Amino acid sequence: MSNVHNLLQHLDKVKRTGPCTWSARCPAHDDKGPSLVITEKDDGREIVLVHCFAGCDVNDVLGAVGLTFADLYPPRVVDHRVGPDRRTFPAADVLRAIAFEALVVSAAAVALLAGEPFSEIDRERLILAVSRIQAAMTAAGVTHHG
Ligand SMILES: [Zn+2]
């Protein structure tokens, strides 16, 4: 059922006045004559316009017959596609994020300089730290070519 007919079936004294227009008794006030005009427009998606010549608010008109705007205007399909994530992070945030990783690297460097053997765990942790720092630099838009 189209949106406009969904509305019209709730109204009294519905009378077609044009190809896409109807009049009806306004449900929102004590309507003696058909003060309500319903117009259907189709510009790619169906649009139903409701107007009460007595001045009723559209929300009141719809509410009086148990409808809401959502019944007339079904939610459009939201486009969830998001463009390339180009945002950059403030340097302070990046520094905070990599501060601990920098400590890991520093500790490894100290051990290396002291000639201490690397355990496998230290090695894995060092690789992780380096990868995290590189990821943080990428996120911050920092490049280091040469
Ligand atoms: Zn009215």
Side-chain angles (χ1 to χ4, degrees):
M1 187 188 302
S2 68
N3 296 332
V4 70
H5 287 100
N6 184 32
L7 171 64
L8 292 175
Q9 71 173 353
H10 289 88
L11 300 174
D12 293 330
K13 293 183 181 174
V14 175
K15 185 178 153 193
R16 190 159 197 153
T17 55
C20 295
T21 55
W22 294 262
S23 65
R25 199 180 73 81
C26 176
H29 75 277
D30 188 16
D31 198 0
K32 299 287 189 284
S35 300
L36 202 64
V37 173
I38 302 98
T39 306
E40 182 186 28
K41 293 192 175 188
D42 193 348
D43 64 344
R45 68 190 185 110
E46 190 181 340
I47 295 175
V48 180
L49 301 174
V50 180
H51 180 73
C52 172
F53 281 102
C56 293
D57 188 84
V58 177
N59 284 307
D60 295 335
V61 173
L62 296 179
V65 294
L67 294 175
T68 65
F69 267 112
D71 295 307
L72 291 187
Y73 308 101
R76 301 170 78 173
V77 177
V78 178
D79 192 349
H80 283 296
R81 285 175 303 174
V82 179
D85 191 356
R86 293 196 181 283
R87 70 197 163 121
T88 56
F89 299 96
D93 288 353
V94 176
L95 271 179
R96 266 192 289 274
I98 68 172
F100 182 74
E101 307 306 327
L103 277 177
V104 172
V105 174
S106 299
V110 169
L112 189 67
L113 289 170
E116 296 174 11
F118 260 40
S119 73
E120 191 59 30
I121 292 176
D122 287 341
R123 185 181 147 81
E124 292 296 320
R125 188 62 188 87
L126 181 60
I127 292 171
L128 179 64
V130 171
S131 69
R132 282 179 177 173
I133 290 172
Q134 288 175 341
M137 290 175 70
T138 301
V142 178
T143 54
H144 58 111
H145 296 293

